[in-house]
Amino acid sequence: MTQNFGKVGVLFGGRSAEREVSLMSGSGVLKALKSKGIDAHPFDPAERSLAELAAEKFDRVFIALHGRYGEDGTLQGVLEQLGIPYTGSGVMASSIGMDKVMTKRIWLSHSLPTPRFAVLDSKAATPEELRAVPDELGLPLMLKAPHEGSTIGISKVTGYSEMKEGFVHCAKYDDVVLAEEFITGRELTVPVLGAGRTARALPIVEIRAPQGNYDYQNKYFSDDTQYLCPAPLDEGLTKRIQSLAVRAYNALGSSGWARVDFMLRATDNEPFLLEINTSPGMTGHSLVPMSAKAAGVSYEDLCVEILRSADLDLAQSENWKPV
């Protein structure tokens, strides 16, 4: 019953490199919740203070922020202190999920498949270390700023001569650069809803971008990128990938909702986990609403389901009291 949600804040915008995308996501969520009769209000942390957030007396909030200061556990910690239930993962899972290196290390500890990788210091990596990476991982390879999203701070390296330029580009965004084995194949993504044993995977989306380049422009603004949902995979492989998505989600302690990205290797149809997005996009080009629609769930109903899952990490503590 939507009337039981009380006063709802939709947090979007923010001050990360993904602000533009977040503004689009939050506007869509706000409109959807209002269309369902929910008392929803916009709140942009880049334009208003945390004191104002506390003063709003929201009964719960929908986090439509992407990237740093919204998806990385920092805001989740603030909401825990204020006693305001929020959508998505808690402090620890949000923080880990925002760090591609830590995410991969945890997945490997759970024997989950992810491309081989190396970590380079953005300020101290030597030319010798840069040259050694292609020898270790092969070419082509990917360089990534591990705390960014929306393909920001990412570079594909096809030869030794491109390593320095790609590294310098990614190093502008982060203290370390993640070098990752390039998996040639099909790009897939799987939304997951719920938590623990109740977590469930939605239909798989296959992404076919022009020239295989799913960059910022092709992700959010181009109509040339093709999306196939459900992805044309046989039933056994579909179930295997969905199961891997749920296992990867639970390995990090994720809750509420998220989206898990894969590469499906062309040579043998082996899936490899790339990253998890604990506050995925909700724009007109976004993949979670697309997958939900294939499962018979409208954008508006998806927003309500996510909002209904809003919680606090400490909600079950006997000693917890809201501020």
Side-chain angles (χ1 to χ4, degrees):
M1 298 293 289
T2 57
Q3 63 264 32
N4 294 334
F5 289 137
K7 184 180 180 182
V8 173
V10 179
L11 309 188
F12 63 105
R15 54 193 180 98
S16 80
E18 299 178 70
R19 173 177 173 81
E20 182 180 12
V21 180
S22 176
L23 288 170
M24 292 189 290
S25 289
S27 296
V29 170
L30 183 66
K31 181 179 178 181
L33 295 180
K34 286 186 172 182
S35 76
K36 288 290 188 177
I38 295 171
D39 183 25
H41 304 264
F43 191 97
D44 186 345
E47 298 179 349
R48 302 178 66 186
S49 69
L50 296 178
E52 290 178 275
L53 176 61
E56 285 284 355
K57 301 293 183 182
F58 291 127
D59 293 294
R60 61 180 62 201
V61 297
F62 191 117
I63 298 177
L65 293 159
H66 309 315
R68 301 175 197 244
Y69 319 114
E71 192 174 352
D72 61 357
T74 53
L75 182 68
Q76 287 77 6
V78 169
L79 295 168
E80 292 284 341
Q81 288 286 340
L82 296 176
I84 304 173
Y86 54 92
T87 57
S89 293
V91 177
M92 182 182 70
S94 297
S95 179
I96 294 172
M98 194 65 205
D99 186 326
K100 294 180 180 66
V101 174
M102 290 304 300
T103 294
K104 288 169 74 72
R105 287 172 175 162
I106 290 176
W107 282 343
L108 288 173
S109 75
H110 284 256
S111 300
L112 294 167
T114 187
R116 295 178 298 126
F117 69 101
V119 181
L120 299 163
D121 189 309
S122 292
K123 297 180 176 62
T126 65
E128 292 74 23
E129 288 174 321
L130 293 184
R131 181 174 178 80
V133 171
D135 292 337
E136 179 183 350
L137 301 180
L139 289 169
L141 61 83
M142 299 301 298
L143 296 177
K144 300 177 179 180
H147 295 91
E148 293 293 348
S150 294
T151 64
I152 293 169
I154 189 169
S155 182
K156 183 178 180 180
V157 174
T158 59
Y160 286 89
S161 61
E162 298 174 9
M163 273 296 297
K164 181 178 180 181
E165 182 180 354
F167 173 79
V168 169
H169 169 70
C170 297
K172 293 187 296 185
Y173 295 92
D174 225 319
D175 292 333
V176 297
V177 172
L178 169 67
E180 188 175 62
E181 173 190 15
F182 185 82
I183 304 296
T184 300
R186 298 161 69 180
E187 189 166 358
L188 309 172
T189 194
V190 185
V192 180
L193 302 178
R197 294 184 179 181
T198 67
R200 72 186 195 277
L202 294 181
I204 301 171
V205 181
E206 179 174 357
I207 303 150
R208 296 183 182 176
Q211 291 81 50
N213 184 23
Y214 195 44
D215 60 10
Y216 188 87
Q217 179 66 28
N218 285 331
K219 181 174 287 190
Y220 295 110
F221 302 104
S222 173
D223 291 324
D224 296 328
T225 301
Q226 293 181 305
Y227 302 97
L228 287 71
C229 186
L233 304 166
D234 65 58
E235 183 179 358
L237 185 55
T238 294
K239 289 183 177 179
R240 182 183 174 201
I241 293 170
Q242 288 177 317
S243 175
L244 277 174
V246 172
R247 288 173 59 199
Y249 178 91
N250 284 334
L252 302 182
S254 307
S255 58
W257 70 311
R259 199 192 75 235
V260 184
D261 296 340
F262 290 83
M263 287 300 297
L264 186 66
R265 192 162 57 191
T267 55
D268 55 7
N269 272 348
E270 282 296 313
F272 289 84
L273 290 155
L274 294 182
E275 63 178 283
I276 188 170
N277 298 272
T278 56
S279 182
M282 290 290 283
T283 73
H285 283 75
S286 292
L287 305 178
V288 177
M290 185 184 304
S291 174
K293 183 179 180 180
V297 180
S298 70
Y299 183 97
E300 292 77 13
D301 288 340
L302 174 65
C303 291
V304 172
E305 180 172 351
I306 294 168
L307 182 63
R308 186 175 288 115
S309 71
D311 204 351
L312 288 163
D313 273 353
L314 304 179
Q316 304 304 317
S317 171
E318 291 183 357
N319 298 319
W320 175 85
K321 294 189 181 300
V323 175

